[in-house]
Amino acid sequence: MNKYTKIISLAFACLFLFIGIKSTIDTKPYAELNDIQTFDGMILKLHCPHKGAAALSLENSDFTFNLSVRFRADYCQDDESQTLLGKVVSLKARQVNGDFYQAYEIKTPEQVILTPEEIEADQGSSTFGMFFLAFLILAFVGYKSRKKK
């Protein structure tokens, strides 16, 4: 491994470490959040990407509500997602960027669709992923830089 490859790899490791630390500092438990807003409305559209977290839009609202990865796994199959369209929900969310909100809780009169614990688990696993990626890069550079006998 040449010198420039090591420098670039270590720079990426530092970037992932920085993002992990920033994520750890910025993430507050749901109980400590004081800017939670409640939205009531009918689910107009589900945004279900192939990877990552899902999102939804409510009728008569310009906002997009980010959901959890588990929500995508549970509700974004063709037959499952259609059952949620048109349901009236009560949604607790926090503004994260412009018209984008992070949903923490979604309830219908019959069931709880999303809980704050699911969102905290997603945030925790992504933070862990950043630290793990930084560790892997550092271990790879260390392994490739070892002295050969």
Side-chain angles (χ1 to χ4, degrees):
M1 180 178 274
N2 68 33
K3 179 180 175 181
Y4 296 110
T5 305
K6 286 181 194 177
I7 292 171
I8 291 171
S9 297
L10 291 175
F12 273 118
C14 289
L15 174 69
F16 293 132
L17 188 63
F18 173 75
I19 292 171
I21 292 170
K22 185 157 176 38
S23 176
T24 301
I25 293 170
D26 291 345
T27 302
K28 289 183 183 178
Y30 178 73
E32 293 179 15
L33 297 174
N34 56 9
D35 55 348
I36 299 290
Q37 300 174 27
T38 302
F39 299 89
D40 294 317
M42 185 175 70
I43 297 176
L44 179 66
K45 184 175 182 181
L46 284 175
H47 312 278
C48 294
H50 294 290
K51 293 183 179 180
L56 67 79
S57 300
L58 295 178
E59 186 176 56
N60 299 325
S61 175
D62 293 332
F63 304 133
T64 300
F65 299 93
N66 299 325
L67 306 170
S68 68
V69 174
R70 182 171 174 211
F71 179 93
R72 181 183 53 80
D74 290 346
Y75 293 102
C76 279
Q77 288 81 22
D78 293 333
D79 53 341
E80 289 293 322
S81 64
Q82 300 303 318
T83 61
L84 292 179
L85 296 178
K87 284 204 174 205
V88 176
V89 295
S90 177
L91 190 137
K92 291 186 179 182
R94 174 178 183 242
Q95 186 175 13
V96 290
N97 187 11
D99 288 343
F100 292 94
Y101 284 73
Q102 176 61 59
Y104 283 90
E105 186 175 72
I106 301 174
K107 290 182 181 179
T108 67
E110 301 87 31
Q111 74 185 76
V112 176
I113 298 172
L114 181 72
T115 64
E117 290 80 20
E118 291 175 29
I119 299 301
E120 288 176 350
D122 277 358
Q123 291 171 343
S125 66
S126 64
T127 300
F128 174 75
M130 288 291 121
F131 286 122
F132 188 66
L133 194 54
F135 171 75
L136 283 177
I137 292 172
L138 289 172
F140 179 72
V141 170
Y143 175 76
K144 288 295 197 175
S145 299
R146 73 187 191 287
K147 300 281 186 197
K148 297 191 180 182
K149 293 181 182 180

